[in-house]
């Protein structure tokens, strides 16, 4: 009889804890990004313009592969995609401070970034290539040709292109810019020998400026990286 009383007492003591646990789960659910997105009917997407992945058309509307991916995700969830253009160098801090719900912008999945954000499974793969100025750096055909102290290489700050340039061209002089357009202009002006960027950007520019720029690696990439959605760590979902 004494054992039964002890057991009943223990069960009664657990009931408030169980109820408290349920309350915590409900509160976490209310705080989750997904619940907030569903409640608001809006998925705020952080991205940075990057031709041809995300850019504006002649009417000022955002277009490109990443834009299509974001719209499809929002459609699948049943909400509206709201695009929040953000400088790439500050895009992760902006996500962490809640300026948008998710990054969909060709972000490469790396261990360093994964320390700050969580990634989805890859939905695409990309790779780095080199675009060179034919007058400043004629006749080059390998990475090693550019891995020299007298060679100036440009890339976009905060990108895996910048990381790849540092890793594969450690002896070259690296200059970083806020966007590919600025880096490209530096290359066109002859103040840099080469630009490192994700394909197909180098290939597009080589076609556009075929009399001034060329692809030393014949359009081949020298890295392969997975691309995923980035979300805040610690989200209940």
């Amino acid at each position: 009889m004494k054992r039964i009383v002890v057991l009943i007492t223990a069960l009664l003591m657990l009931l408030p804890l169980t109820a408290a646990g349920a309350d915590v789960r409900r509160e976490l659910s209310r705080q989750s990004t997904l619940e907030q997105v569903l409640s608001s009917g809006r998925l705020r997407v952080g991205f940075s313009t990057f031709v041809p992945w995300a850019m504006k058309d002649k009417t000022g509307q955002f277009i490109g592969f990443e834009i299509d991916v974001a719209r499809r995700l929002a459609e699948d969830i049943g909400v509206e995609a709201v695009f929040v253009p953000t400088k790439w160098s500050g895009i992760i801090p902006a996500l962490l401070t809640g300026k948008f719900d998710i990054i969909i912008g060709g972000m490469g999945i790396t261990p360093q970034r994964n320390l700050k954000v969580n990634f989805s499974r890859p939905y695409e793969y990309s790779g780095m290539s080199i675009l060179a100025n034919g007058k400043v750096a004629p006749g080059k055909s390998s990475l090693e040709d550019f891995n020299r102290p007298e060679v100036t290489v440009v890339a976009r700050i905060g990108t895996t292109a910048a990381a790849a340039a540092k890793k594969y061209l450690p002896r070259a002089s690296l200059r970083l810019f806020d966007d590919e357009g600025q880096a490209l202009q530096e290359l066109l002006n002859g103040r840099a020998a080469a630009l490192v960027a994700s394909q197909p950007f180098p290939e597009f520019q080589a076609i556009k400026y075929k009399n001034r720029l060329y692809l030393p690696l014949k359009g081949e990439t020298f890295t392969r990286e997975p691309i995923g959605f980035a979300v805040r760590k610690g989200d209940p979902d």
Side-chain angles (χ1 to χ4, degrees):
M1 182 66 179
K2 186 176 180 180
R3 289 181 179 177
I4 294 174
V5 171
V6 171
L7 180 59
I8 292 173
T9 302
L11 289 172
L12 290 173
M13 291 176 67
L14 284 173
L15 285 176
L17 295 177
T18 304
D23 289 342
V24 169
R25 286 193 294 273
R26 282 194 293 270
E27 181 60 27
L28 287 175
S29 178
R30 283 194 293 270
Q31 293 175 1
S32 78
T33 298
L34 181 56
E35 284 298 322
Q36 292 173 14
V37 167
L38 293 174
S39 297
S40 67
R42 301 160 71 241
L43 176 66
R44 299 173 301 159
V45 179
F47 75 103
S48 186
T49 53
F50 177 29
V51 178
W53 305 109
M55 53 194 171
K56 282 186 176 181
D57 63 14
K58 293 179 180 179
T59 67
Q61 297 297 310
F62 290 114
I63 59 171
F65 175 74
E66 301 295 345
I67 302 300
D68 291 342
V69 169
R71 287 197 173 113
R72 178 58 186 269
L73 176 62
E75 181 183 334
D76 288 346
I77 297 174
V79 298
E80 175 191 3
V82 177
F83 296 101
V84 185
T86 307
K87 279 191 175 183
W88 190 258
S89 57
I91 200 165
I92 287 180
L95 172 68
L96 299 181
T97 55
K99 291 186 177 178
F100 38 80
D101 307 307
I102 190 170
I103 296 173
I104 303 179
M107 179 166 278
I109 300 172
T110 68
Q112 294 79 9
R113 287 172 176 164
N114 211 177
L115 292 173
K116 299 177 181 179
V117 299
N118 284 338
F119 283 102
S120 66
R121 291 180 179 177
Y123 64 90
E124 181 61 274
Y125 286 84
S126 183
M128 298 301 145
S129 188
I130 292 183
L131 180 66
N133 184 303
K135 185 177 290 186
V136 177
K140 297 185 183 297
S141 59
S142 70
L143 283 176
E144 197 55 37
D145 288 339
F146 294 91
N147 192 27
R148 304 172 186 274
E150 67 273 16
V151 173
T152 298
V153 175
V154 292
R156 187 177 192 175
I157 192 169
T159 61
T160 47
K166 291 176 183 177
K167 179 178 180 179
Y168 292 96
L169 304 170
R171 296 170 61 199
S173 174
L174 178 62
R175 298 182 61 198
L176 301 175
F177 294 84
D178 283 335
D179 62 56
E180 279 81 7
Q182 294 173 336
L184 176 63
Q185 195 58 53
E186 196 76 356
L187 182 65
L188 288 169
N189 290 341
R191 290 193 288 267
L195 176 150
V196 175
S198 300
Q199 282 286 37
F201 183 80
E203 193 160 0
F204 279 17
Q205 302 309 319
I207 294 171
K208 184 176 181 179
Y209 300 101
K210 61 182 179 180
N211 295 324
R212 302 168 66 184
L213 306 178
Y214 72 101
L215 298 169
L217 305 183
K218 307 301 181 186
E220 295 296 320
T221 58
F222 61 92
T223 67
R224 186 174 188 266
E225 60 187 58
I227 306 299
F229 304 150
V231 295
R232 286 182 290 276
K233 282 185 175 293
D235 193 285
D237 293 320

